Amino acid sequence: MSATATATGAQILQAITRYTGADNPSAFLALNRGNHTFTLPRTDGVIVYRPAGRYLVQFGGPFAPEHTYTLLLDAFRAHARREGLGLVGVQLQHTDALAYARHGFTVNQIGASWALPLDDFTLRGTAFMQLRNKISRALRNDLVIQEAHRPEHSYEALRAVDAAWLGAKGPHTRELEFLVGEIGGSAQRHRRLFTGTIAGRTVAYLSYSPVYGTRQGWLHDLSRRVPGGSPGLMEALNAHAIEVFRREGTRWLHFGFTPFTGLDAGAELPGHSPAFQWLMHYLWEQGQALYPARTQLAYKHKWAARERIPEYVAFDGQASPAAFAHIFRACNAL
């Protein structure tokens, strides 16, 4: 079988909401601009990926009904091999990991996603005292928070925040793609955007993407703030959004995937690579220069987001440092 033309946004949205893969908290990232898709004629489902050098980097498993899941996986693997390309999948969920391991992939845990149940969430109590203090400080500095119901009217101000945020990180900092959210495009109407202004100037924003499956809710996705501004900006925006979501009956707030975190020997599958397992633990201990996993996890734990969802990487063949590096290349990190 040969691949068809690129899937439409509507086809991708249907796949991530209805089929296997909907439980992936980051599934909405499949709609990011710049993604490639693989489909088969007269076959439901889609595979989302990006080319990176001599590799295809797949996002999640096939977003497909059970009866076409294996068909798509086998066809995509054959496509990569015909092109002489390596194949690595990232952010696979546990059910994906089991399927890939059965098909001979080397599958290892690469990190975890973290989620917070909102049913009885409250910021009261001593555990959240520091968080409340930061939020209060931002509000005392005249922070005004609102949801942008017409986000296109905010794009120019958001770009100014982005430029300041990136500039503060140094001249060689790249803006990440692929496994992080974005603003704009045809998928924007499905997201929620909250902005913070002080004296009429936008100083921070927080974008949320929808999460489907058994833990429906919102994903704390793309967040930016101007450097050197008031403390507590992001905390205040997120607290405000949480109250909005709770009033609407939202049950889960997801804080997304962080590599190297939540590693658990009990989550590894038979046939995993012990060497790659060691590398993930090493990067958790020593890899801050590669990715600030500890800082990211500290922010998530600040909100008591301790529901751990293991996520996996799958290599077509042996676990490969080159393939692992190309995940970062696909994300524009290298």
Side-chain angles (χ1 to χ4, degrees), residues 115-118 214-219 250-254 307:
L116 172 68
L118 295 181
T214 57
R215 294 186 181 92
Q216 290 187 27
W218 293 97
L219 171 66
T250 300
R251 296 191 60 193
W252 288 92
L253 178 63
H254 295 262
E307 181 81 9

Side-chain angles (χ1 to χ4, degrees):
M1 292 186 178
S2 59
T4 68
T6 300
T8 66
Q11 289 173 316
I12 299 171
L13 185 61
Q14 173 179 279
I16 64 175
T17 56
R18 294 180 53 187
Y19 301 145
T20 301
D23 268 344
N24 188 328
S26 299
F28 195 80
L29 301 184
L31 287 161
N32 278 2
R33 291 165 290 184
N35 287 348
H36 294 230
T37 55
F38 180 92
T39 59
L40 291 173
R42 298 175 297 281
T43 304
D44 291 333
V46 61
I47 284 176
V48 177
Y49 70 98
R50 290 205 182 189
R54 299 301 301 169
Y55 284 85
L56 300 182
V57 180
Q58 181 184 344
F59 168 62
F63 297 99
E66 291 184 9
H67 68 278
T68 65
Y69 184 100
T70 295
L71 183 64
L72 270 171
L73 173 56
D74 289 343
F76 186 57
R77 187 186 206 178
H79 166 72
R81 289 179 173 180
R82 282 195 304 271
E83 297 295 320
L85 299 173
L87 174 60
V88 57
V90 65
Q91 283 201 249
L92 276 66
Q93 303 303 290
H94 189 256
T95 53
D96 299 310
L98 291 171
Y100 278 63
R102 287 195 300 268
H103 280 70
F105 285 75
T106 301
V107 180
N108 275 68
Q109 189 188 2
I110 192 174
S113 288
W114 301 86
L116 172 68
L118 295 181
D119 287 344
D120 56 358
F121 178 76
T122 175
L123 285 177
R124 293 191 296 270
T126 57
F128 293 109
M129 183 182 299
Q130 290 185 341
L131 183 56
R132 292 197 306 272
N133 288 340
K134 292 192 74 173
I135 293 169
S136 296
R137 189 169 177 184
L139 296 177
R140 287 198 305 271
N141 287 333
D142 297 324
L143 176 69
V144 176
I145 303 170
Q146 61 184 357
E147 183 169 1
H149 296 290
R150 296 291 299 274
E152 64 274 13
H153 295 167
S154 304
Y155 288 164
E156 183 176 350
L158 301 187
R159 284 193 291 269
V161 174
D162 290 343
W165 181 83
L166 284 169
K169 292 182 175 295
H172 303 297
T173 301
R174 295 169 175 260
E175 187 160 13
L176 297 181
E177 303 174 355
F178 190 37
L179 302 184
V180 298
E182 61 182 25
I183 298 291
S186 60
Q188 182 60 42
R189 66 183 184 275
H190 301 288
R191 304 185 186 101
R192 306 283 289 270
L193 176 66
F194 293 82
T195 62
T197 59
I198 294 178
R201 177 195 176 206
T202 301
V203 294
Y205 70 86
L206 226 173
S207 173
Y208 298 84
S209 296
V211 176
Y212 309 104
T214 57
R215 294 186 181 92
Q216 290 187 27
W218 293 97
L219 171 66
H220 181 302
D221 195 358
L222 189 64
S223 58
R224 299 278 170 81
R225 54 163 293 170
V226 296
S230 169
L233 294 178
M234 303 317 307
E235 290 84 355
L237 262 67
N238 194 47
H240 177 93
I242 285 175
E243 287 309 305
V244 172
F245 297 152
R246 278 173 47 81
R247 288 196 298 268
E248 296 170 349
T250 300
R251 296 191 60 193
W252 288 92
L253 178 63
H254 295 262
F255 284 81
F257 168 65
T258 305
F260 323 139
T261 66
L263 300 173
D264 180 2
E268 298 286 9
L269 302 183
H272 72 275
S273 165
F276 192 84
Q277 181 185 22
W278 175 90
L279 177 61
M280 294 300 95
H281 285 271
Y282 175 81
L283 289 174
W284 164 247
E285 295 292 343
Q286 306 292 337
Q288 281 293 107
L290 179 63
Y291 188 84
R294 289 179 177 272
T295 303
Q296 293 287 323
L297 185 59
Y299 177 79
K300 296 170 186 186
H301 280 178
K302 180 188 297 186
W303 297 92
R306 299 185 184 275
E307 181 81 9
R308 180 177 61 89
I309 305 169
E311 303 213 1
Y312 296 85
V313 60
F315 303 92
D316 186 10
Q318 294 183 341
S320 161
F324 176 62
H326 278 76
I327 295 173
F328 286 86
R329 184 172 178 180
C331 295
N332 198 40
L334 297 176

